[in-house]
Amino acid sequence: MDVALQTIVRTPRTLKRTLTAYVSLTKPRVVELLLVITAPTMLLAERGIPSLWLILATLVGGALSAGSAGAFNCYLDRDIDRLMKRTKNRPLVTGELSDREALIFAWALGAASIVWLGLLTNWLAAALSFGAILLYVVFYTIILKRRTPQNIVWGGVAGCMPVLIGWAAVTGDLAWSPVILFMIVFLWTPPHYWPLSMKYRSDYQAAGVPMLAVVRGRAQVGLQVILYAWATVACSLLLIPIGEMGLLYTFVALVVGGWFIYETHRLYSLAIRHEHVSPMRVFHGSIAYLTLLFVAVGVDPLLPF
């Protein structure tokens, strides 16, 4: 069978495959990480355990919001996704879903997230959710991503919004503590994502996306990762006095922060010696760092010390 005929003959699309394709559009790993930082923030805002219904409603609304942003991103980036090995299996590249189906799905999820949060939490949380979608789709995907190596720095603001949404859902307003949590995630995003861009440098180069790893050498990227890691850990310590955090959070912030900084220094050391680097070690380590830190954020208010 020749190539032309192969492109015409396709396996029939089953319900399971269709549902899997729609889920893939939402970037579920990103959604999962965003929910990990939302729930602990709600516990800190309540200084205890909020209504389980409120937690569930906020997490569902947040998942819808993040899923909408992810689907819009897949739609807008479908041209460069076809050029990158890392994204070659996304449903708009494989043809599992049509462009129209993806766009309708993105709009539907976005509208549902705003209405859901507005009716079941409050309209401040809903407005912040709407802002998060706009920031990721317009500010990051459309404006920044293909124009500047600082794309992930400022575009990462969208990924910080879940802490504000979680706090607002509980309290109906904002305070300094969620601002510190926002800044932690903001400063964490570059040392999380830039190692990934080192791993897939050739992909981004082929697609014409000016990630820092494409326009700068490994040593320069490694240095920037170190600086942002230090800033992240320093910011996490600000939460101790401002958020009135206890011994558990203090211990976790110092220990996992020290480990995170060590891993970034190790990456830089290998890069400047022109040895084999393992950027994905820092990438996965950054996820572990943020997860452990936010677990401490949520558990600390429940303890008597």
Side-chain angles (χ1 to χ4, degrees):
M1 184 181 296
D2 59 29
V3 175
L5 187 58
Q6 284 180 338
T7 60
I8 298 174
V9 178
R10 296 187 179 184
T11 306
R13 196 169 78 174
T14 64
L15 177 61
K16 180 179 179 181
R17 285 177 54 187
T18 301
L19 291 176
T20 300
Y22 275 116
V23 170
S24 176
L25 274 183
T26 67
K27 299 186 176 181
R29 290 184 179 178
V30 175
V31 173
E32 179 183 354
L33 183 61
L34 295 180
L35 297 184
V36 162
I37 67 176
T38 304
T41 300
M42 297 181 72
L43 270 65
L44 179 61
E46 182 70 23
R47 286 287 168 180
I49 301 178
S51 159
L52 295 181
W53 167 248
L54 179 62
I55 294 175
L56 178 62
T58 306
L59 294 182
V60 170
L64 292 173
S65 175
S68 170
F72 274 118
N73 177 265
C74 287
Y75 172 78
L76 292 168
D77 279 352
R78 62 196 186 280
D79 58 332
I80 61 176
D81 283 347
R82 294 186 174 96
L83 303 175
M84 299 171 62
K85 294 178 181 178
R86 186 173 69 88
T87 55
K88 65 180 181 181
N89 292 321
R90 287 182 177 172
L92 294 185
V93 177
T94 62
E96 198 69 43
L97 294 175
S98 69
D99 294 350
R100 181 173 180 273
E101 288 172 325
L103 194 57
I104 291 174
F105 180 64
W107 278 106
L109 282 187
S113 73
I114 296 166
V115 174
W116 176 278
L117 287 171
L119 295 178
L120 299 181
T121 63
N122 57 62
W123 289 104
L124 175 57
L128 291 168
S129 172
F130 176 63
I133 296 172
L134 282 181
L135 283 168
Y136 190 73
V137 175
V138 179
F139 188 54
Y140 171 64
T141 305
I142 296 177
I143 297 176
L144 294 177
K145 185 173 182 177
R146 308 190 193 202
R147 290 181 171 86
T148 170
Q150 293 297 307
N151 49 21
I152 202 61
V153 177
W154 300 106
V157 171
C160 310
M161 296 298 284
V163 297
L164 302 185
I165 295 170
W167 189 279
V170 173
T171 67
D173 60 15
L174 296 175
W176 281 111
S177 289
V179 172
I180 296 299
L181 293 172
F182 178 98
M183 289 304 301
I184 291 171
V185 182
F186 175 77
L187 294 168
W188 167 87
T189 301
H192 164 66
Y193 201 87
W194 278 336
L196 181 71
S197 71
M198 291 176 69
K199 168 75 172 178
Y200 294 102
R201 180 181 181 276
S202 59
D203 267 8
Y204 287 113
Q205 191 171 34
V209 179
M211 288 296 179
L212 188 65
V214 173
V215 300
R216 296 286 187 271
R218 295 190 308 173
Q220 180 62 32
V221 176
L223 179 59
Q224 291 295 315
V225 167
I226 285 176
L227 295 176
Y228 273 98
W230 273 98
T232 303
V233 175
C235 189
S236 73
L237 298 179
L238 287 178
L239 190 64
I240 298 171
I242 293 175
E244 299 179 355
M245 306 305 289
L247 293 177
L248 175 68
Y249 176 83
T250 303
F251 175 78
V252 171
L254 288 170
V255 172
V256 300
W259 168 67
F260 183 35
I261 288 173
Y262 165 77
E263 287 295 337
T264 61
H265 276 271
R266 180 179 180 274
L267 176 68
Y268 177 67
S269 177
L270 291 173
I272 62 175
R273 296 201 307 264
H274 302 289
E275 297 182 17
H276 175 72
V277 298
S278 302
M280 295 305 286
R281 175 169 167 163
V282 176
F283 173 78
H284 292 299
S286 68
I287 296 174
Y289 164 76
L290 196 71
T291 301
L292 291 171
L293 187 72
F294 271 83
V295 167
V297 167
V299 174
D300 190 271
L302 307 180
L303 301 176
F305 51 84

